[in-house]
Amino acid sequence: MTLRLYLDTADTTAWDTWLPVGIFYGVTCNPLLLERAKVPCTVDSLTQLATKAFDLGAREVQLQTWGDTQLSLIKTGRALARIDQRVVVKVPITRLGTTAAVELVTEGIRVTMTAVYEVPQIIIAAALGAEYAAPYLGRITDGGRNGREVLSQMQQALDGVQSSTRILAASIRDVEDIAYLATQGLDTFTFSPRIAEALFRSEQTAIAT
């Protein structure tokens, strides 16, 4: 597998700044990020958002479905998938979300299982054939566990069952987390513009240049 980096924001001004740099495979967002960017959580507004991302060179856009029932999660997921074949539909890894995701995957829709916190949940994502599983590194650590170790164990579990599901490491608070997790075999990361800035921050490089 090849390295994939994503910009985790719905703020299109940040896209204007960072996507032309050329290192990002795409962008990810969720209802909370949409709210922060004051973007309505509707299929129409997400269609416009995805179109802009693709125009800026994104090869993939991950958008989260929503709904209180299996049918509504599936219906919205289908609508998001119809935007473009490069759209991946994010689905919460609850029992309800998983049941909806199975139907979407059966229809050939690309899926990311999101809000992953436990190592056994990675087996759910692998079993249903999700393309990605997104654990929240920072929030796992906030809960009192070693987030780096938890994500490393998730990768070991996927390797153990020879699954093609990618861990999409999210909720990254420190650029060093990316470097460490890369040594553990993780190759897919989504992070904020703040972390993108930190990725390029080196006093010695500035002096040498």
Side-chain angles (χ1 to χ4, degrees):
M1 292 187 180
T2 56
L3 177 67
R4 293 184 182 179
L5 303 179
Y6 297 81
L7 198 59
D8 195 30
T9 180
D11 181 359
T12 58
T13 60
W15 296 1
D16 289 333
T17 298
W18 286 105
L19 290 182
V21 172
I23 67 170
F24 289 98
Y25 191 78
V27 298
T28 62
C29 66
N30 57 42
L32 178 59
L33 293 177
L34 291 172
E35 182 179 346
R36 288 176 181 170
K38 295 181 171 54
V39 176
C41 190
T42 66
V43 174
D44 286 344
S45 65
L46 291 179
T47 299
Q48 296 174 23
L49 205 64
T51 300
K52 178 174 178 61
F54 293 134
D55 287 345
L56 287 170
R59 286 176 280 177
E60 195 172 275
V61 173
Q62 300 213 12
L63 305 172
Q64 187 164 325
T65 187
W66 61 86
D68 296 326
T69 66
Q70 177 185 339
L71 183 59
S72 60
L73 286 170
I74 293 171
K75 182 178 179 180
T76 305
R78 286 170 177 159
L80 294 175
R82 282 195 294 269
I83 294 172
D84 192 284
Q85 64 181 3
R86 295 167 291 180
V87 167
V88 180
V89 178
K90 298 171 67 176
V91 186
I93 197 164
T94 59
R95 184 171 178 176
L96 180 66
T98 298
T99 306
V102 169
E103 178 63 29
L104 294 174
V105 170
T106 299
E107 295 176 11
I109 294 172
R110 304 168 66 197
V111 164
T112 292
M113 300 308 294
T114 192
V116 176
Y117 283 87
E118 313 297 336
V119 175
Q121 288 178 314
I122 214 72
I123 300 303
I124 298 172
L128 65 88
E131 191 165 337
Y132 302 89
Y136 293 169
L137 172 64
R139 296 183 192 177
I140 291 171
T141 300
D142 290 345
R145 291 181 289 164
N146 185 328
R148 289 182 175 184
E149 181 60 27
V150 171
L151 266 65
S152 296
Q153 291 174 2
M154 290 179 180
Q155 185 62 54
Q156 291 169 20
L158 289 177
D159 293 342
V161 297
Q162 298 182 323
S163 171
S164 62
T165 298
R166 286 176 178 259
I167 291 179
L168 173 60
S171 185
I172 293 172
R173 310 277 177 76
D174 192 320
V175 70
E176 294 299 327
D177 290 329
I178 300 173
Y180 175 81
L181 292 172
T183 70
Q184 304 302 300
L186 281 79
D187 59 9
T188 308
F189 304 91
T190 185
F191 47 86
S192 68
R194 180 183 67 82
I195 296 297
E197 189 72 44
L199 198 63
F200 283 90
R201 189 179 301 130
S202 170
E203 183 177 347
Q204 288 184 300
T205 297
I207 292 171
T209 303

